[in-house]
Amino acid sequence: MPADQRLRSWLTPHRRALLLCALVLATLFAVAGRAPLPFTKETPGDTADALGSFEGHQVVTITGAPVRQTSGALRVTTILATGPGESISLRQAVQGWFDPKAAVLPRDAVYPQGNPTKANQQNQQQMTQAQDSATTVALNYLHLSPDQVKVTIDLGDVGGPSGGQMLSLAIIDKLAGDGKGGDLTGGRNIAGTGTIDDSGTIGAVGGVALKTQAAARDGATVFLVPRGECSEAKVNTPAQLQLIPVNTLTDALSSLNALRGGQPVPSC
């Protein structure tokens, strides 16, 4: 039987219908794979050593009081997210869902304002508030007056409130260290996250599982995490990273003191 006759005999009406459906589905999936979706993709961002410089600028600058030379690092951790006005494709979303170093979330959950300009403004306002609270709680802890000691913080375009804990520790370390001539870090590369209020309470933040990845990538061996986020922090935790839960600035200082002395510390 000639080839064209064999083909016609094989292509029954039922098979033609199936092939047509398959072609339509393939086309739909190809289009859907490129169509923008209302999701935000997050990945580990930069870390900024609050004891040093970031993007060419000193992170914490203090005037009106003697400033110590410090060792080690106190790293503010960040996440990198697609912007509030950006979209990702279905393929990018699926890749993110299966990538342990990424997170894909509904855009509205990350940017509830729905307005890119307002979202950026809110992030910067939150960072300003975090800096003010970090300064207030650190100076109060050291019994220093803000009228005599001035603290300036520069983290560039980093926004949000989650750097508060590490900034307050950096201010204390620069001004007083451990109170005995040593550093709070004990020379360690320490990272962390968490909001802080004027009373020293450390609050929860987002993206902890990604921030631990950023911390380990940049050499940190200790991560200070809000106690309520221990479970999230333990997701895909890098092997070399020790997680220490904290509720307050006092908790953080006590744990760092125990580390320096080789004593047991809380763990997630």
Side-chain angles (χ1 to χ4, degrees):
M1 180 183 296
D4 59 339
Q5 290 182 357
R6 289 198 301 270
L7 181 60
R8 283 195 299 270
S9 65
W10 184 82
L11 284 175
T12 64
H14 178 68
R15 285 175 174 163
R16 288 194 185 97
L18 288 177
L19 287 173
L20 180 59
C21 289
L23 179 61
V24 171
L25 285 174
T27 302
L28 288 175
F29 278 117
V31 172
R34 294 177 173 83
L37 298 175
F39 289 98
T40 295
K41 184 177 181 179
E42 297 179 337
T43 53
D46 294 326
T47 70
D49 179 11
L51 295 175
S53 61
F54 179 65
E55 295 181 347
H57 301 280
Q58 190 73 19
V59 175
V60 176
T61 302
I62 301 173
T63 58
V67 177
R68 304 175 59 256
Q69 291 292 324
T70 59
S71 65
L74 289 168
R75 295 189 177 277
V76 176
T77 53
T78 71
I79 56 175
L80 183 64
T82 52
E86 300 177 58
S87 298
I88 63 174
S89 67
L90 176 61
R91 183 177 68 176
Q92 291 172 316
V94 171
Q95 288 174 340
W97 285 323
F98 287 95
D99 185 352
K101 294 184 179 180
V104 176
L105 303 170
R107 187 194 300 144
D108 291 344
V110 181
Y111 302 109
Q113 308 87 350
N115 183 304
T117 301
K118 288 184 179 180
N120 290 331
Q121 289 175 345
Q122 184 182 54
N123 279 339
Q124 289 305 314
Q125 289 170 356
Q126 289 175 336
M127 175 52 78
T128 299
Q129 181 61 50
Q131 294 172 358
D132 291 344
S133 294
T135 300
T136 296
V137 72
L139 295 183
N140 285 344
Y141 174 80
L142 296 173
H143 305 291
L144 294 174
S145 169
D147 296 329
Q148 293 171 321
V149 179
K150 300 298 181 185
V151 178
T152 303
I153 297 174
D154 186 351
L155 278 170
D157 293 332
V158 174
S162 65
Q165 174 183 196
M166 302 310 291
L167 292 172
S168 63
L169 291 173
I171 295 168
I172 293 171
D173 203 14
K174 281 177 168 286
L175 286 169
D178 64 359
K180 303 175 183 178
D183 299 308
L184 287 184
T185 64
R188 290 177 173 83
N189 189 337
I190 296 173
T193 191
T195 65
I196 198 164
D197 63 19
D198 291 355
S199 70
T201 299
I202 294 170
V205 296
V208 173
L210 299 177
K211 291 176 179 179
T212 58
Q213 299 288 332
R217 179 200 63 210
D218 291 350
T221 56
V222 175
F223 193 92
L224 302 175
V225 60
R227 183 177 294 275
E229 295 186 300
C230 266
S231 295
E232 182 181 352
K234 290 166 68 174
V235 175
N236 299 314
T237 307
Q240 75 272 28
L241 200 62
Q242 181 179 7
L243 299 177
I244 299 179
V246 292
N247 284 326
T248 65
L249 177 65
T250 301
D251 290 344
L253 292 167
S254 296
S255 292
L256 293 180
N257 183 57
L259 278 177
R260 291 192 305 276
Q263 301 169 352
V265 295
S267 61
C268 286

